[in-house]
Amino acid sequence: MGMVLCMAQGHAQNLDRQQARSALDEFRKSVRQDFEDFRRQCMEEYVEFVRNPWKTFEETKPVPVPKEVPVPPVVKPKDDNKPIEDNPVIIEEVIEPAPVEPQPQPVAPIEEVPVAEEKTVDFTFFGTQAKVRFDTAHKVILRGTDEGSVADALNGFSAEHYDNMLLDCLQLRRDLNLSDWGYLQMLKALSDQVCGKGSNESALMLTYLYMQSGYKTRMGVGNNRLYMLYASKHQIFNQASFGVNGTVFYGVEELPNRLHICEAAFPKEKEMSLLINGGQRFAENISTVRTITSQRYKDCKINFMVNKNLIDFYNTYPTSMIDDNFMTRWGFYANTPMDKKVAELIYPMLRNQLKGLTQLEAANHLLNLLQTGLEYEYDNKVWGRDRAFFAEETLYYPYCDCEDRAILYTRLVRDLLGLDCILVFYPGHLAAAVAFTDPVKGDYIQLNGRKFVVTDPTYIGASVGETMPNMDNKSATVILVNK
């Protein structure tokens, strides 16, 4: 009797578990359906807004990069043996680093759509092969560039045919650790592959994928061409823009000076950021080996190679600023981590060479390595314009200037010595400063109770604590960089 009772109780418990699982499955299905219904409703309302007459906008002329007279590098005389003494540098302004925020996300979670036969599209961006699920038989055809034709075409981007593609794109953003700028470039390469480079359909598909990923975008028409416009938290130099309802939009390609722009907004849309918070995992296309050697410390040298696909990506990266402050831009470069592959090559070498040295000695070794191992040249002469480098670019290209050296130096000191740094701007010149935990003398900046000693990779032959001649230590701007 007892055994029968136990069996009955066990059966009842199994039924209870099955019922609980069934109820949970039903709840999940209900939630998924709610999300799908919400996304569908958002899209339907957006499409109806697209049918309204678009407004004509005139371009805002490009903002040029502020011109400054660069200060040439200075070689310290070999017979200059004056002792280094403490000398405070007066701070004129402190530039805070741009806040790091989560990347935009879809307005609601996207669920995978089961299909009988998976078809895929292969495409390449910055030498990196990628694949997404999509049947090109369902690519949208745009019959015209009037409001109705665009709205009708948008109706063709059904969840059934495009959600798996969108899921794959977002997964690629995660897998390749793409920044917002990298993700935009990837979506453009995909849209061009599916619809044809420069086609109206490509612009429409790019708009759809970017918008559905959570980014703020608009569409514009000029000369019978459809253009995709994106909004950025950063103000981009040397690029025409359009102000729409208080937001500045830029084009992924050159824009005409007048556009009919659709003002339709998608819920929860966010502006893109130009910050690069982690190494982007592009396929490798390795450069030839380069060697940089310190003239003073012959045992301090590095042999390295750089991923040319990453360099190609950096070539597309636009010069920008935040809050109308030109000096915010250097932090974008200084706070970008060193590419993992480059770090794996040079950091073990340098750690071995710096082993056993004091903080001051190690900092001087790295300083002289950049002072004497790199060749200086003006941006205008090399590039025809002002251009800052990411750390890998300074290592890759044969020439660099003061800002490039200062950015690379702060990267090396933070990563190898674990010391906090700042960038120090004088008119026409950028240097750095380091917060030593050991007592170190020299020109210094007192900041939040900490002493940052000046280090200048462009004052050739100088040691830690020496400011390049002709710099006015009565006034300097500090650019904070992340730890």
Side-chain angles (χ1 to χ4, degrees):
M1 183 71 178
M3 183 179 294
V4 173
L5 181 60
C6 288
M7 291 175 64
Q9 289 175 338
H11 180 66
Q13 289 172 351
N14 286 335
L15 284 176
D16 288 343
R17 283 193 290 267
Q18 290 173 3
Q19 289 171 350
R21 282 197 296 267
S22 177
L24 182 59
D25 288 342
E26 287 301 318
F27 174 74
R28 286 171 175 167
K29 288 179 182 177
S30 174
V31 171
R32 284 198 297 267
Q33 190 61 50
D34 288 344
F35 283 142
E36 290 174 9
D37 290 344
F38 178 64
R39 286 184 63 227
R40 186 180 301 110
Q41 180 183 351
C42 289
M43 192 62 189
E44 288 173 355
E45 293 174 355
Y46 177 81
V47 169
E48 288 309 306
F49 203 148
V50 171
R51 294 188 188 281
N52 294 331
W54 296 9
K55 185 177 177 181
T56 300
F57 290 83
E58 301 287 338
E59 74 168 3
T60 300
K61 297 299 181 184
V63 177
V65 176
K67 289 185 177 180
E68 290 194 10
V69 179
V71 176
V74 174
V75 177
K76 181 183 176 182
K78 292 183 179 180
D79 58 355
D80 184 352
N81 297 313
K82 291 181 294 185
I84 297 176
E85 302 291 342
D86 277 346
N87 178 44
V89 179
I90 306 302
I91 301 173
E92 180 178 291
E93 183 183 7
V94 176
I95 308 297
E96 297 283 343
V100 177
E101 298 177 2
Q103 289 185 297
Q105 298 295 328
V107 67
I110 301 166
E111 295 294 330
E112 190 163 354
V113 179
V115 295
E117 182 184 0
E118 291 282 14
K119 294 189 176 181
T120 60
V121 172
D122 296 308
F123 67 103
T124 304
F125 70 110
F126 302 115
T128 304
Q129 297 287 331
K131 177 187 296 185
V132 296
R133 288 171 290 173
F134 183 66
D135 185 349
T136 55
H138 299 298
K139 68 180 180 181
V140 170
I141 303 299
L142 187 56
R143 304 297 180 186
T145 56
D146 59 282
E147 294 90 335
S149 295
V150 174
D152 290 342
L154 281 169
N155 271 328
F157 288 95
S158 65
E160 178 184 359
H161 300 307
Y162 282 83
D163 274 8
N164 287 347
M165 171 194 274
L166 186 57
L167 275 172
D168 291 346
C169 288
L170 291 167
Q171 188 62 47
L172 282 168
R173 186 177 73 172
R174 289 188 291 271
D175 291 345
L176 301 177
N177 203 30
L178 296 177
S179 63
D180 288 349
W181 183 254
Y183 186 60
L184 176 59
Q185 302 307 306
M186 186 196 81
L187 293 184
K188 186 176 188 308
L190 171 59
S191 300
D192 285 344
Q193 177 66 32
V194 172
C195 302
K197 186 173 182 179
S199 67
N200 289 335
E201 286 83 0
S202 178
L204 186 65
M205 181 175 169
L206 175 57
T207 301
Y208 175 81
L209 293 174
Y210 194 66
M211 173 182 66
Q212 289 290 317
S213 298
Y215 294 90
K216 182 178 286 189
T217 182
R218 297 291 183 267
M219 293 177 290
V221 170
N223 304 321
N224 294 319
R225 278 284 312 279
L226 182 70
Y227 295 92
M228 179 270 192
L229 308 174
Y230 66 90
S232 171
K233 296 176 184 177
H234 297 210
Q235 298 144 294
I236 299 175
F237 290 103
N238 297 328
Q239 191 168 330
S241 61
F242 287 84
V244 182
N245 298 328
T247 299
V248 178
F249 289 88
Y250 301 91
V252 291
E253 55 189 319
E254 188 174 349
L255 302 173
N257 55 22
R258 174 181 294 181
L259 284 176
H260 301 289
I261 295 177
C262 175
E263 299 174 82
F266 204 74
K268 299 183 181 180
E269 60 185 13
K270 291 185 178 180
E271 299 168 346
M272 72 168 292
S273 169
L274 284 171
L275 299 183
I276 302 175
N277 301 314
Q280 296 172 105
R281 305 183 186 111
F282 298 122
E284 291 188 3
N285 179 19
I286 302 303
S287 68
T288 56
V289 177
R290 185 183 182 191
T291 300
I292 294 176
T293 305
S294 164
Q295 290 182 9
R296 177 181 296 165
Y297 310 103
K298 299 299 184 182
D299 58 339
C300 186
K301 66 178 181 180
I302 50 176
N303 306 306
F304 57 89
M305 299 166 288
V306 175
N307 186 356
K308 291 193 287 185
N309 289 333
L310 178 64
I311 298 299
D312 289 342
F313 166 74
Y314 285 153
N315 274 327
T316 71
Y317 183 83
T319 301
S320 66
M321 64 179 175
I322 288 181
D323 299 329
D324 290 316
N325 191 329
F326 174 65
M327 280 180 274
T328 58
R329 72 177 185 128
W330 288 302
F332 309 154
Y333 298 87
N335 287 326
T336 299
M338 179 76 78
D339 179 64
K340 183 179 179 181
K341 295 291 185 181
V342 176
E344 288 174 347
L345 278 174
I346 67 174
Y347 285 3
M349 297 182 210
L350 289 171
R351 286 194 177 99
N352 185 58
Q353 294 162 16
L354 302 177
K355 187 185 303 182
L357 301 181
T358 66
Q359 290 180 356
L360 177 58
E361 290 169 341
N364 271 324
H365 275 63
L366 294 176
L367 190 61
N368 194 262
L369 176 67
L370 302 193
Q371 288 172 345
T372 60
L374 300 173
E375 188 166 349
Y376 186 96
E377 190 52 271
Y378 298 106
D379 280 345
N380 285 340
K381 184 174 179 180
V382 178
W383 301 100
R385 57 185 170 84
D386 181 71
R387 174 178 174 173
F389 280 165
F390 292 95
E392 301 87 350
E393 292 181 290
T394 303
L395 294 172
Y396 175 75
Y397 289 114
Y399 305 106
C400 59
D401 65 5
C402 63
E403 60 190 3
D404 310 322
R405 295 175 178 215
I407 289 166
L408 176 57
Y409 185 74
T410 61
R411 180 79 274 155
L412 295 177
V413 169
R414 284 175 288 169
D415 290 352
L416 294 169
L417 306 185
L419 300 175
D420 292 343
C421 300
I422 56 176
L423 296 171
V424 184
F425 175 77
Y426 307 94
H429 184 61
L430 191 69
V434 178
F436 294 94
T437 57
D438 294 342
V440 173
K441 288 188 176 182
D443 297 338
Y444 70 92
I445 290 170
Q446 196 74 25
L447 186 66
N448 298 326
R450 303 177 70 194
K451 178 181 176 182
F452 288 79
V453 182
V454 171
T455 52
D456 195 336
T458 308
Y459 186 14
I460 300 170
S463 299
V464 167
E466 296 182 291
T467 303
M468 197 161 75
N470 302 324
M471 296 297 102
D472 185 2
N473 275 341
K474 295 179 181 178
S475 177
T477 298
V478 168
I479 299 104
L480 302 182
V481 296
N482 297 332
K483 296 182 179 180

